[in-house]
């Protein structure tokens, strides 16, 4: 929407990895962000809380302050486990609607279908945009070539930066003049790029069909597609989304995303992760059940490490796997991009 | 419902594989079936049309005849490709509602939300039951033991008999006095057993959570659960459902279902299937990403082969995999059941 100015709501969690929609929009979004709403971090600039955030937006304590700063839309910037509306979020979003602000969110809860929220929006003459809304006519994948080269990020876990990695690689590829396109598969990616689909909200029968549709839409926009990954084949709750996306993607190459030092699934600490080379093999086996694809490089998330430790972690990952490895957010996307382009057919 | 008597509607397709809901209810259902409604096959007993069908139900030509035979409920017994309501089905179901019969169906189309059908049901004081309806409060799997032993069928492809295999194994286990329970994950299974969930209709983020809920409900009903499988990790469209179900199942043992002689995915002939031992390894690897489980036996579907060829196919599968193999529908469930019970811990 033109003239739109976002206030990104994180309600105390701006520093947490659950605030990934906020982090993505602050780092990569092309839409204007007026402020972040977060009482815990209020008074500081967002860049002090969110690493690698280029936005000058301040953090304010409440919706009223955001409105006074000129915000037109409150974007819910947190994706809680399970994705449902909590009582606290409900109160804040209701307040925003009653102040005449639009609301945008990517929960599994359909806010537009909520009687109380819908009534408040109607009364104030504002809109509720559901970033997870999906087309009603999805089906199964076509058995036809896609007409573009597809690179897909896969990961050892959730919320470790699979979207940031494809955004960095897309940005670097465009800087080289390539016909590169970011293809969003989650609500944050849709919030950033303005198109795509939140595949985790699709009926499970249609996940692969949704991925197939997205890469075909992407092929109309460019010839080098960066398809955002979701979840992990090692994640007890979300592995089905991951495999459906992988099999529907027609991927020509994979980039494996990993959080340095992580040895178990974050949400399920009892579920251990295997060593990195085994994760590479796991994804190549899983892809090969339908269509072979190799892991071309490892994108390591070294957040929390100092530079020397980050370099060591990158070197270790490269030595362990025999692949190019780098932290593309911290050290730049060039080396991983080179490895991916060398791995693509043709 | 007590006092309930089913008429199973197949509208000309009783002999086709699309009538799998009808076939399942006729073969394994514990609910009373008064008749099948199918003008093409009317006048014959259902057993003449449906192989291995134990029901004495006649096939009649129309809904009025079914009503005169005492039917209280019309169950749509066909799952058409795409799962949507056709104009012909609409006419027949409307007629049934207007005659005062309940309607039960497992389409993707939500019949209860259809204004014309809903109005007819209200006017006649009867109900519409959607077998694919899923709970609104699904989430992610709990990280806690289930309190029952879980056996899960997995397969090389779709529509090769994964449900029939667990129904045969459950029946055989109950005949031995075990506290055995069939856990339905598709609309036909729900039609047969009266509970369960059509997991292919669940939002993809919640497939594993749905499986987890089903086995916990099953554990309240018995201590040996047979969880119906869906799809295949080798299927380009449905692999995500399969992996989500596998990881949410807490399976202690797997039974691999395979159609004898099949070398490619039926819906995607360009997608070759690997040899049977590799499929066994594929499922064990996939399970092991979250929780290890071994394939305890192979359940071969030998439909279409003569008895001698079926025996050879079973022997070949056993020799190839080193596992017990049998066609549990054709030759009985005893050997596969023995192998599964021997493989369970404790």
């Amino acid at each position: 929407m033109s003239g739109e100015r976002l206030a990104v709501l994180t309600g105390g969690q701006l520093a947490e990895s659950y605030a990934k929609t906020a982090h993505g929009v602050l780092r990569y979004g092309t839409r204007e962000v007026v402020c972040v709403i977060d009482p815990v971090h209020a008074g500081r600039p967002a860049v002090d809380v969110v690493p690698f955030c280029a936005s000058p937006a301040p953090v304010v304590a409440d919706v009223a302050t955001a409105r006074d700063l000129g915000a037109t839309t409150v974007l819910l910037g947190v994706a809680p486990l399970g994705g449902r509306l909590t009582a606290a979020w409900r109160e804040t979003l209701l307040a925003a609607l009653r102040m005449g602000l639009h609301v945008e969110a990517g929960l599994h809860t359909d806010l537009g279908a909520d009687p109380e929220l819908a009534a408040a929006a109607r009364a104030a003459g504002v809109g509720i945009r559901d970033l997870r809304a999906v087309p009603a006519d999805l089906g199964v994948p076509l058995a036809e070539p896609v007409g573009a080269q597809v690179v897909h990020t896969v990961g050892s876990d959730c919320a470790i930066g699979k979207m940031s990695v494809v955004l960095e690689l897309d940005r670097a590829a465009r800087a080289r003049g390539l016909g590169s396109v970011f293809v969003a598969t989650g609500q944050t990616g849709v919030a950033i790029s303005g198109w795509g689909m939140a595949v985790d909200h699709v009926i499970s029968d249609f996940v692969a069909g949704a991925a197939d549709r997205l890469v075909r839409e992407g092929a109309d926009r460019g010839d080098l597609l960066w398809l955002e990954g979701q979840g992990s084949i090692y994640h007890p709750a979300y592995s089905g989304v991951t495999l459906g996306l992988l099999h529907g993607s027609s991927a020509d190459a994979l980039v494996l995303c990993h959080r340095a030092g992580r040895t178990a699934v974050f949400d399920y600490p009892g579920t251990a992760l295997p060593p990195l080379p085994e994760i590479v093999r796991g994804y190549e086996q899983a892809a090969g059940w339908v269509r072979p694809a190799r892991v071309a490089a490892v994108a390591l998330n070294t957040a929390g490490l100092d530079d020397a430790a980050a370099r060591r972690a990158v070197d270790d990952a490269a030595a362990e796997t025999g692949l190019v490895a780098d932290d593309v957010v911290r050290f730049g996307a060039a080396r991983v991009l080179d490895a991916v382009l060398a791995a693509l057919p043709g």
Side-chain angles (χ1 to χ4, degrees), chain A residues 5 42 79 91 101 122 191 278 314 326 343:
Chain A
R5 292 178 300 279
E91 281 313 300
L101 300 174
R122 267 196 312 276
E278 205 174 306
V314 162
D326 215 337

Side-chain angles (χ1 to χ4, degrees), chain A residues 13-337:
Chain A
Q13 300 184 67
L14 179 58
E16 312 296 325
S17 63
Y18 288 127
K20 64 181 185 177
T21 301
H23 300 173
V25 169
L26 289 167
R27 282 179 190 155
Y28 301 105
T30 50
R31 304 159 75 190
E32 184 183 351
V33 177
V34 170
C35 63
V36 173
I37 306 171
D38 192 309
V40 171
H41 301 283
R44 309 163 67 188
V47 69
D48 278 9
V49 185
V50 182
F52 311 107
C53 156
S55 167
V59 184
V60 303
D62 52 39
V63 176
T65 311
R67 179 200 52 193
D68 295 344
L69 288 174
T72 61
T73 303
V74 170
L75 166 66
L76 181 55
V78 176
L81 193 66
R84 302 205 181 280
L85 183 66
T86 63
W89 294 122
R90 170 183 293 277
E91 281 313 300
T92 309
L93 296 179
L94 263 176
L97 291 168
R98 287 172 180 154
M99 287 179 206
L101 300 174
H102 303 285
V103 161
E104 195 173 298
L107 298 171
H108 279 310
T109 307
D110 180 358
L111 301 186
D114 181 285
E116 192 178 19
L117 294 170
R122 267 196 312 276
V126 293
I128 297 175
R129 182 184 180 202
D130 182 2
L131 295 170
R132 258 174 165 157
V134 296
D137 64 342
L138 289 172
V140 299
L142 305 177
E144 291 166 17
V146 166
Q149 292 191 301
V150 180
V151 187
H152 181 42
T153 44
V154 292
S156 55
D157 201 353
C158 292
I160 57 169
K162 287 183 289 290
M163 185 191 68
S164 300
V165 167
V166 285
L167 284 162
E168 295 284 353
L169 288 164
D170 169 53
R171 186 153 68 180
R174 280 187 285 114
R176 292 189 192 182
L178 299 173
S180 172
V181 176
F182 163 64
V183 183
T185 62
Q187 69 271 21
T188 299
V190 176
I192 291 170
S193 67
W195 74 286
M197 204 192 308
V199 297
D200 60 357
H201 203 61
V202 165
I203 283 175
S204 61
D205 246 10
F206 298 150
V207 170
D212 183 62
R213 179 176 299 194
L214 284 174
V215 293
R216 290 176 198 283
E217 287 180 17
D220 292 336
R221 296 165 184 255
D223 52 19
L224 174 60
L225 311 183
W226 303 94
L227 181 70
E228 181 191 358
Q230 294 291 337
S232 166
I233 57 174
Y234 299 94
H235 195 287
Y238 303 133
S239 59
V241 182
T242 308
L243 189 66
L245 199 48
L246 178 61
H247 283 169
S249 71
S250 299
D252 296 294
L254 306 175
V255 174
L256 175 61
C257 302
H258 181 61
R259 174 91 186 213
R262 184 159 299 179
T263 56
V265 174
F266 185 79
D267 294 328
Y268 291 85
T271 303
L273 288 171
L276 210 44
E278 205 174 306
I279 297 177
V280 171
R281 277 197 302 276
Y283 272 107
E284 292 181 345
Q285 284 167 342
W289 294 336
V290 165
R291 173 191 160 104
R294 302 294 300 270
V295 173
V298 175
L300 206 66
N301 177 342
T302 63
L305 301 182
D306 66 30
D307 275 1
R311 289 276 177 209
R312 273 198 307 277
V314 162
D315 291 346
D316 288 351
E320 267 188 276
T321 60
L323 296 169
V324 167
D326 215 337
D327 184 329
V328 301
V329 174
R330 185 171 201 156
F331 299 128
R335 294 180 61 239
V336 169
L337 179 57

